[in-house]
Every structure is written in C-alpha cells, then in structure tokens.
mmCIF file of all heavy atoms in Angstrom:
data_model
loop_
_atom_site.group_PDB
_atom_site.id
_atom_site.type_symbol
_atom_site.label_atom_id
_atom_site.label_comp_id
_atom_site.label_asym_id
_atom_site.label_seq_id
_atom_site.Cartn_x
_atom_site.Cartn_y
_atom_site.Cartn_z
ATOM 1 N N LYS M 22 -129.062 22.418 48.741
ATOM 2 C CA LYS M 22 -129.370 22.050 50.131
ATOM 3 C C LYS M 22 -129.916 20.633 50.206
ATOM 4 O O LYS M 22 -129.548 19.869 51.095
ATOM 5 C CB LYS M 22 -130.378 23.034 50.735
ATOM 6 C CG LYS M 22 -129.766 24.365 51.083
ATOM 7 C CD LYS M 22 -130.608 25.281 51.941
ATOM 8 C CE LYS M 22 -132.048 25.353 51.628
ATOM 9 N NZ LYS M 22 -132.782 26.388 52.377
ATOM 10 N N ALA M 23 -130.773 20.250 49.264
ATOM 11 C CA ALA M 23 -131.321 18.888 49.261
ATOM 12 C C ALA M 23 -130.212 17.858 49.021
ATOM 13 O O ALA M 23 -130.202 16.791 49.643
ATOM 14 C CB ALA M 23 -132.410 18.762 48.197
ATOM 15 N N LEU M 24 -129.268 18.187 48.147
ATOM 16 C CA LEU M 24 -128.160 17.275 47.868
ATOM 17 C C LEU M 24 -127.239 17.104 49.081
ATOM 18 O O LEU M 24 -126.663 16.039 49.289
ATOM 19 C CB LEU M 24 -127.343 17.780 46.679
ATOM 20 C CG LEU M 24 -128.035 17.725 45.324
ATOM 21 C CD1 LEU M 24 -127.223 18.474 44.285
ATOM 22 C CD2 LEU M 24 -128.257 16.276 44.900
ATOM 23 N N LEU M 25 -127.106 18.144 49.875
ATOM 24 C CA LEU M 25 -126.232 18.084 51.046
ATOM 25 C C LEU M 25 -126.909 17.428 52.246
ATOM 26 O O LEU M 25 -126.243 17.059 53.211
ATOM 27 C CB LEU M 25 -125.736 19.489 51.409
ATOM 28 C CG LEU M 25 -124.818 20.127 50.372
ATOM 29 C CD1 LEU M 25 -124.514 21.563 50.741
ATOM 30 C CD2 LEU M 25 -123.541 19.332 50.206
ATOM 31 N N GLY M 26 -128.208 17.283 52.191
ATOM 32 C CA GLY M 26 -128.952 16.554 53.223
ATOM 33 C C GLY M 26 -128.757 17.084 54.624
ATOM 34 O O GLY M 26 -128.967 18.255 54.897
ATOM 35 N N GLU M 27 -128.336 16.217 55.512
ATOM 36 C CA GLU M 27 -128.211 16.544 56.930
ATOM 37 C C GLU M 27 -127.015 17.435 57.254
ATOM 38 O O GLU M 27 -126.829 17.817 58.395
ATOM 39 C CB GLU M 27 -128.134 15.255 57.758
ATOM 40 C CG GLU M 27 -129.379 14.399 57.667
ATOM 41 C CD GLU M 27 -130.620 15.130 58.199
ATOM 42 O OE1 GLU M 27 -130.528 15.758 59.270
ATOM 43 O OE2 GLU M 27 -131.658 15.075 57.516
ATOM 44 N N GLU M 28 -126.189 17.749 56.276
ATOM 45 C CA GLU M 28 -125.003 18.564 56.534
ATOM 46 C C GLU M 28 -125.288 20.063 56.547
ATOM 47 O O GLU M 28 -124.379 20.860 56.686
ATOM 48 C CB GLU M 28 -123.913 18.257 55.494
ATOM 49 C CG GLU M 28 -123.408 16.832 55.549
ATOM 50 C CD GLU M 28 -122.806 16.471 56.909
ATOM 51 O OE1 GLU M 28 -122.034 17.280 57.454
ATOM 52 O OE2 GLU M 28 -123.123 15.384 57.412
ATOM 53 N N ILE M 29 -126.556 20.442 56.410
ATOM 54 C CA ILE M 29 -126.948 21.845 56.437
ATOM 55 C C ILE M 29 -127.334 22.222 57.856
ATOM 56 O O ILE M 29 -128.132 21.538 58.494
ATOM 57 C CB ILE M 29 -128.150 22.109 55.490
ATOM 58 C CG1 ILE M 29 -127.793 21.741 54.055
ATOM 59 C CG2 ILE M 29 -128.634 23.542 55.588
ATOM 60 C CD1 ILE M 29 -126.806 22.664 53.408
ATOM 61 N N GLU M 30 -126.792 23.344 58.359
ATOM 62 C CA GLU M 30 -127.141 23.838 59.688
ATOM 63 C C GLU M 30 -128.498 24.526 59.606
ATOM 64 O O GLU M 30 -128.666 25.486 58.871
ATOM 65 C CB GLU M 30 -126.076 24.822 60.193
ATOM 66 C CG GLU M 30 -126.339 25.361 61.572
ATOM 67 C CD GLU M 30 -126.405 24.274 62.632
ATOM 68 O OE1 GLU M 30 -125.383 23.635 62.895
ATOM 69 O OE2 GLU M 30 -127.503 24.062 63.173
ATOM 70 N N LYS M 31 -129.469 24.017 60.339
ATOM 71 C CA LYS M 31 -130.828 24.555 60.273
ATOM 72 C C LYS M 31 -131.215 25.321 61.529
ATOM 73 O O LYS M 31 -132.179 26.068 61.517
ATOM 74 C CB LYS M 31 -131.824 23.414 60.047
ATOM 75 C CG LYS M 31 -131.627 22.731 58.706
ATOM 76 C CD LYS M 31 -132.555 21.561 58.536
ATOM 77 C CE LYS M 31 -132.246 20.854 57.227
ATOM 78 N NZ LYS M 31 -132.931 19.596 57.087
ATOM 79 N N ARG M 32 -130.462 25.127 62.621
ATOM 80 C CA ARG M 32 -130.813 25.813 63.863
ATOM 81 C C ARG M 32 -130.552 27.304 63.732
ATOM 82 O O ARG M 32 -129.666 27.732 63.013
ATOM 83 C CB ARG M 32 -129.976 25.265 65.030
ATOM 84 C CG ARG M 32 -130.201 23.798 65.301
ATOM 85 C CD ARG M 32 -129.255 23.301 66.359
ATOM 86 N NE ARG M 32 -127.890 23.344 65.795
ATOM 87 C CZ ARG M 32 -126.783 23.313 66.501
ATOM 88 N NH1 ARG M 32 -126.833 23.241 67.805
ATOM 89 N NH2 ARG M 32 -125.605 23.355 65.921
ATOM 90 N N GLN M 33 -131.306 28.081 64.460
ATOM 91 C CA GLN M 33 -131.108 29.529 64.467
ATOM 92 C C GLN M 33 -130.052 29.944 65.490
ATOM 93 O O GLN M 33 -129.440 30.990 65.357
ATOM 94 C CB GLN M 33 -132.435 30.238 64.763
ATOM 95 C CG GLN M 33 -133.459 30.069 63.657
ATOM 96 C CD GLN M 33 -132.990 30.701 62.364
ATOM 97 O OE1 GLN M 33 -132.476 31.811 62.360
ATOM 98 N NE2 GLN M 33 -133.145 29.989 61.256
ATOM 99 N N THR M 34 -129.876 29.147 66.537
ATOM 100 C CA THR M 34 -128.893 29.468 67.559
ATOM 101 C C THR M 34 -127.848 28.372 67.636
ATOM 102 O O THR M 34 -128.166 27.195 67.754
ATOM 103 C CB THR M 34 -129.559 29.644 68.945
ATOM 104 O OG1 THR M 34 -130.255 28.452 69.269
ATOM 105 C CG2 THR M 34 -130.525 30.811 68.930
ATOM 106 N N TYR M 35 -126.609 28.771 67.516
ATOM 107 C CA TYR M 35 -125.480 27.856 67.624
ATOM 108 C C TYR M 35 -124.229 28.706 67.820
ATOM 109 O O TYR M 35 -124.241 29.919 67.626
ATOM 110 C CB TYR M 35 -125.348 26.949 66.398
ATOM 111 C CG TYR M 35 -125.396 27.664 65.071
ATOM 112 C CD1 TYR M 35 -124.246 28.153 64.481
ATOM 113 C CD2 TYR M 35 -126.602 27.840 64.400
ATOM 114 C CE1 TYR M 35 -124.286 28.806 63.271
ATOM 115 C CE2 TYR M 35 -126.649 28.493 63.186
ATOM 116 C CZ TYR M 35 -125.489 28.972 62.631
ATOM 117 O OH TYR M 35 -125.533 29.620 61.437
ATOM 118 N N TYR M 36 -123.161 28.077 68.223
ATOM 119 C CA TYR M 36 -121.912 28.795 68.455
ATOM 120 C C TYR M 36 -121.231 29.105 67.129
ATOM 121 O O TYR M 36 -121.108 28.246 66.261
ATOM 122 C CB TYR M 36 -120.962 27.951 69.320
ATOM 123 C CG TYR M 36 -121.470 27.763 70.711
ATOM 124 C CD1 TYR M 36 -121.984 26.542 71.112
ATOM 125 C CD2 TYR M 36 -121.435 28.800 71.629
ATOM 126 C CE1 TYR M 36 -122.459 26.349 72.395
ATOM 127 C CE2 TYR M 36 -121.907 28.629 72.916
ATOM 128 C CZ TYR M 36 -122.407 27.403 73.297
ATOM 129 O OH TYR M 36 -122.869 27.233 74.556
ATOM 130 N N LYS M 37 -120.803 30.337 67.000
ATOM 131 C CA LYS M 37 -120.039 30.726 65.819
ATOM 132 C C LYS M 37 -119.234 31.980 66.153
ATOM 133 O O LYS M 37 -119.568 32.727 67.061
ATOM 134 C CB LYS M 37 -120.919 30.954 64.601
ATOM 135 C CG LYS M 37 -121.912 32.094 64.724
ATOM 136 C CD LYS M 37 -122.743 32.192 63.463
ATOM 137 C CE LYS M 37 -123.774 33.293 63.584
ATOM 138 N NZ LYS M 37 -124.541 33.438 62.373
ATOM 139 N N PHE M 38 -118.169 32.170 65.415
ATOM 140 C CA PHE M 38 -117.307 33.321 65.602
ATOM 141 C C PHE M 38 -117.889 34.467 64.784
ATOM 142 O O PHE M 38 -117.947 34.413 63.561
ATOM 143 C CB PHE M 38 -115.894 32.972 65.136
ATOM 144 C CG PHE M 38 -114.891 34.056 65.409
ATOM 145 C CD1 PHE M 38 -114.657 34.503 66.691
ATOM 146 C CD2 PHE M 38 -114.163 34.611 64.376
ATOM 147 C CE1 PHE M 38 -113.725 35.494 66.953
ATOM 148 C CE2 PHE M 38 -113.228 35.597 64.611
ATOM 149 C CZ PHE M 38 -113.009 36.040 65.901
ATOM 150 N N THR M 39 -118.341 35.507 65.470
ATOM 151 C CA THR M 39 -118.978 36.608 64.763
ATOM 152 C C THR M 39 -118.654 37.939 65.423
ATOM 153 O O THR M 39 -118.199 37.971 66.567
ATOM 154 C CB THR M 39 -120.500 36.389 64.660
ATOM 155 O OG1 THR M 39 -121.043 37.360 63.777
ATOM 156 C CG2 THR M 39 -121.174 36.471 66.016
ATOM 157 N N TRP M 40 -118.876 39.011 64.714
ATOM 158 C CA TRP M 40 -118.669 40.351 65.238
ATOM 159 C C TRP M 40 -119.468 41.318 64.386
ATOM 160 O O TRP M 40 -119.905 40.989 63.280
ATOM 161 C CB TRP M 40 -117.178 40.718 65.230
ATOM 162 C CG TRP M 40 -116.580 40.767 63.849
ATOM 163 C CD1 TRP M 40 -116.521 41.838 63.012
ATOM 164 C CD2 TRP M 40 -115.982 39.674 63.136
ATOM 165 N NE1 TRP M 40 -115.919 41.481 61.840
ATOM 166 C CE2 TRP M 40 -115.570 40.168 61.889
ATOM 167 C CE3 TRP M 40 -115.740 38.339 63.447
ATOM 168 C CZ2 TRP M 40 -114.943 39.369 60.948
ATOM 169 C CZ3 TRP M 40 -115.108 37.556 62.503
ATOM 170 C CH2 TRP M 40 -114.718 38.074 61.271
ATOM 171 N N ASN M 41 -119.664 42.522 64.919
ATOM 172 C CA ASN M 41 -120.388 43.557 64.196
ATOM 173 C C ASN M 41 -119.573 43.953 62.968
ATOM 174 O O ASN M 41 -118.397 44.264 63.077
ATOM 175 C CB ASN M 41 -120.610 44.774 65.106
ATOM 176 C CG ASN M 41 -121.558 45.774 64.485
ATOM 177 O OD1 ASN M 41 -122.338 45.429 63.606
ATOM 178 N ND2 ASN M 41 -121.479 47.010 64.916
ATOM 179 N N GLY M 42 -120.171 43.917 61.791
ATOM 180 C CA GLY M 42 -119.495 44.256 60.553
ATOM 181 C C GLY M 42 -118.911 43.059 59.819
ATOM 182 O O GLY M 42 -118.228 43.223 58.807
ATOM 183 N N LYS M 43 -119.187 41.838 60.295
ATOM 184 C CA LYS M 43 -118.605 40.643 59.668
ATOM 185 C C LYS M 43 -119.067 40.480 58.222
ATOM 186 O O LYS M 43 -118.266 40.153 57.344
ATOM 187 C CB LYS M 43 -118.972 39.404 60.481
ATOM 188 C CG LYS M 43 -118.353 38.130 59.957
ATOM 189 C CD LYS M 43 -118.655 36.955 60.854
ATOM 190 C CE LYS M 43 -118.027 35.675 60.356
ATOM 191 N NZ LYS M 43 -118.292 34.550 61.250
ATOM 192 N N GLU M 44 -120.341 40.706 57.954
ATOM 193 C CA GLU M 44 -120.845 40.546 56.582
ATOM 194 C C GLU M 44 -120.218 41.570 55.636
ATOM 195 O O GLU M 44 -119.904 41.246 54.493
ATOM 196 C CB GLU M 44 -122.369 40.643 56.550
ATOM 197 C CG GLU M 44 -123.054 39.461 57.204
ATOM 198 C CD GLU M 44 -122.608 38.113 56.633
ATOM 199 O OE1 GLU M 44 -122.542 37.968 55.386
ATOM 200 O OE2 GLU M 44 -122.307 37.214 57.426
ATOM 201 N N GLU M 45 -120.020 42.802 56.131
ATOM 202 C CA GLU M 45 -119.367 43.818 55.304
ATOM 203 C C GLU M 45 -117.920 43.418 55.020
ATOM 204 O O GLU M 45 -117.414 43.615 53.922
ATOM 205 C CB GLU M 45 -119.405 45.189 55.993
ATOM 206 C CG GLU M 45 -120.786 45.803 56.073
ATOM 207 C CD GLU M 45 -121.605 45.301 57.253
ATOM 208 O OE1 GLU M 45 -121.077 44.535 58.100
ATOM 209 O OE2 GLU M 45 -122.783 45.657 57.334
ATOM 210 N N ALA M 46 -117.251 42.846 56.029
ATOM 211 C CA ALA M 46 -115.867 42.392 55.838
ATOM 212 C C ALA M 46 -115.810 41.262 54.817
ATOM 213 O O ALA M 46 -114.913 41.227 53.962
ATOM 214 C CB ALA M 46 -115.278 41.936 57.173
ATOM 215 N N ARG M 47 -116.756 40.340 54.874
ATOM 216 C CA ARG M 47 -116.795 39.247 53.887
ATOM 217 C C ARG M 47 -117.028 39.788 52.482
ATOM 218 O O ARG M 47 -116.417 39.333 51.524
ATOM 219 C CB ARG M 47 -117.900 38.254 54.235
ATOM 220 C CG ARG M 47 -117.526 37.291 55.299
ATOM 221 C CD ARG M 47 -118.624 36.265 55.481
ATOM 222 N NE ARG M 47 -118.188 35.203 56.356
ATOM 223 C CZ ARG M 47 -118.997 34.359 56.932
ATOM 224 N NH1 ARG M 47 -120.300 34.434 56.742
ATOM 225 N NH2 ARG M 47 -118.532 33.414 57.714
ATOM 226 N N ALA M 48 -117.932 40.766 52.365
ATOM 227 C CA ALA M 48 -118.205 41.364 51.052
ATOM 228 C C ALA M 48 -116.955 42.057 50.519
ATOM 229 O O ALA M 48 -116.615 41.925 49.341
ATOM 230 C CB ALA M 48 -119.367 42.342 51.147
ATOM 231 N N TYR M 49 -116.248 42.781 51.375
ATOM 232 C CA TYR M 49 -115.018 43.477 50.965
ATOM 233 C C TYR M 49 -113.940 42.476 50.550
ATOM 234 O O TYR M 49 -113.200 42.706 49.601
ATOM 235 C CB TYR M 49 -114.521 44.362 52.109
ATOM 236 C CG TYR M 49 -113.241 45.087 51.799
ATOM 237 C CD1 TYR M 49 -113.195 46.062 50.804
ATOM 238 C CD2 TYR M 49 -112.073 44.799 52.486
ATOM 239 C CE1 TYR M 49 -112.018 46.725 50.507
ATOM 240 C CE2 TYR M 49 -110.890 45.457 52.199
ATOM 241 C CZ TYR M 49 -110.873 46.419 51.212
ATOM 242 O OH TYR M 49 -109.706 47.065 50.919
ATOM 243 N N ALA M 50 -113.880 41.354 51.234
ATOM 244 C CA ALA M 50 -112.882 40.328 50.909
ATOM 245 C C ALA M 50 -113.128 39.723 49.533
ATOM 246 O O ALA M 50 -112.188 39.248 48.883
ATOM 247 C CB ALA M 50 -112.879 39.238 51.978
ATOM 248 N N ARG M 51 -114.373 39.742 49.061
ATOM 249 C CA ARG M 51 -114.701 39.161 47.753
ATOM 250 C C ARG M 51 -114.430 40.113 46.593
ATOM 251 O O ARG M 51 -114.417 39.704 45.439
ATOM 252 C CB ARG M 51 -116.166 38.728 47.728
ATOM 253 C CG ARG M 51 -116.461 37.525 48.581
ATOM 254 C CD ARG M 51 -117.870 37.024 48.369
ATOM 255 N NE ARG M 51 -118.884 37.976 48.717
ATOM 256 C CZ ARG M 51 -119.534 38.025 49.878
ATOM 257 N NH1 ARG M 51 -119.259 37.153 50.816
ATOM 258 N NH2 ARG M 51 -120.457 38.929 50.105
ATOM 259 N N VAL M 52 -114.218 41.396 46.889
ATOM 260 C CA VAL M 52 -113.956 42.370 45.830
ATOM 261 C C VAL M 52 -112.521 42.188 45.344
ATOM 262 O O VAL M 52 -111.588 42.263 46.140
ATOM 263 C CB VAL M 52 -114.152 43.815 46.361
ATOM 264 C CG1 VAL M 52 -113.739 44.830 45.299
ATOM 265 C CG2 VAL M 52 -115.586 44.038 46.798
ATOM 266 N N PRO M 53 -112.334 41.917 44.047
ATOM 267 C CA PRO M 53 -110.964 41.736 43.542
ATOM 268 C C PRO M 53 -110.118 42.988 43.766
ATOM 269 O O PRO M 53 -110.600 44.111 43.639
ATOM 270 C CB PRO M 53 -111.167 41.477 42.044
ATOM 271 C CG PRO M 53 -112.565 40.971 41.932
ATOM 272 C CD PRO M 53 -113.339 41.683 43.012
ATOM 273 N N SER M 54 -108.870 42.801 44.097
ATOM 274 C CA SER M 54 -107.947 43.897 44.353
ATOM 275 C C SER M 54 -107.125 44.177 43.107
ATOM 276 O O SER M 54 -106.740 43.269 42.390
ATOM 277 C CB SER M 54 -107.024 43.526 45.513
ATOM 278 O OG SER M 54 -106.121 44.570 45.747
ATOM 279 N N MET M 55 -106.831 45.438 42.874
ATOM 280 C CA MET M 55 -106.046 45.830 41.710
ATOM 281 C C MET M 55 -104.680 46.378 42.124
ATOM 282 O O MET M 55 -104.004 47.018 41.344
ATOM 283 C CB MET M 55 -106.802 46.901 40.911
ATOM 284 C CG MET M 55 -108.123 46.427 40.340
ATOM 285 S SD MET M 55 -107.924 45.149 39.109
ATOM 286 C CE MET M 55 -107.202 46.078 37.795
ATOM 287 N N GLY M 56 -104.282 46.166 43.367
ATOM 288 C CA GLY M 56 -103.020 46.689 43.873
ATOM 289 C C GLY M 56 -101.821 45.964 43.301
ATOM 290 O O GLY M 56 -101.930 45.014 42.540
ATOM 291 N N THR M 57 -100.657 46.433 43.692
ATOM 292 C CA THR M 57 -99.393 45.836 43.276
ATOM 293 C C THR M 57 -98.575 45.526 44.512
ATOM 294 O O THR M 57 -98.469 46.367 45.403
ATOM 295 C CB THR M 57 -98.608 46.817 42.376
ATOM 296 O OG1 THR M 57 -99.404 47.134 41.250
ATOM 297 C CG2 THR M 57 -97.304 46.215 41.931
ATOM 298 N N LEU M 58 -98.002 44.342 44.571
ATOM 299 C CA LEU M 58 -97.125 43.974 45.676
ATOM 300 C C LEU M 58 -95.725 44.500 45.391
ATOM 301 O O LEU M 58 -95.175 44.254 44.323
ATOM 302 C CB LEU M 58 -97.062 42.455 45.838
ATOM 303 C CG LEU M 58 -98.294 41.788 46.388
ATOM 304 C CD1 LEU M 58 -98.116 40.276 46.370
ATOM 305 C CD2 LEU M 58 -98.561 42.248 47.812
ATOM 306 N N ARG M 59 -95.191 45.230 46.352
ATOM 307 C CA ARG M 59 -93.810 45.688 46.248
ATOM 308 C C ARG M 59 -93.119 45.349 47.553
ATOM 309 O O ARG M 59 -93.495 45.843 48.602
ATOM 310 C CB ARG M 59 -93.758 47.189 45.991
ATOM 311 C CG ARG M 59 -94.206 47.550 44.589
ATOM 312 C CD ARG M 59 -94.060 49.000 44.323
ATOM 313 N NE ARG M 59 -94.904 49.731 45.265
ATOM 314 C CZ ARG M 59 -94.825 51.026 45.482
ATOM 315 N NH1 ARG M 59 -93.931 51.745 44.859
ATOM 316 N NH2 ARG M 59 -95.628 51.613 46.337
ATOM 317 N N PRO M 60 -92.108 44.509 47.510
ATOM 318 C CA PRO M 60 -91.394 44.159 48.739
ATOM 319 C C PRO M 60 -90.733 45.381 49.363
ATOM 320 O O PRO M 60 -90.288 46.287 48.654
ATOM 321 C CB PRO M 60 -90.332 43.164 48.280
ATOM 322 C CG PRO M 60 -90.776 42.706 46.946
ATOM 323 C CD PRO M 60 -91.595 43.803 46.356
#
C-alpha cells in the first residue's frame, strides 16, 4: 500500500458494482477446476 501511494482507494463510500454473494463468487472463482472440456 505504501508503494502504491495515492492509487489506493481509502474512502468507505464510492461507486462500485456489487451484489449479495459477490465475495463468495470471487472465492469460488479462485478454486481451481478439475473438469474436462468436451465440445
């Protein structure tokens, strides 16, 4: 954060795209998938 200086968002209120369950969706997106692609 110190290295990034002024580029860190410090305000508590600002516009952002959010919804209920967003953090859970982000966590699920980080879990590696073991599936197989079949056309």
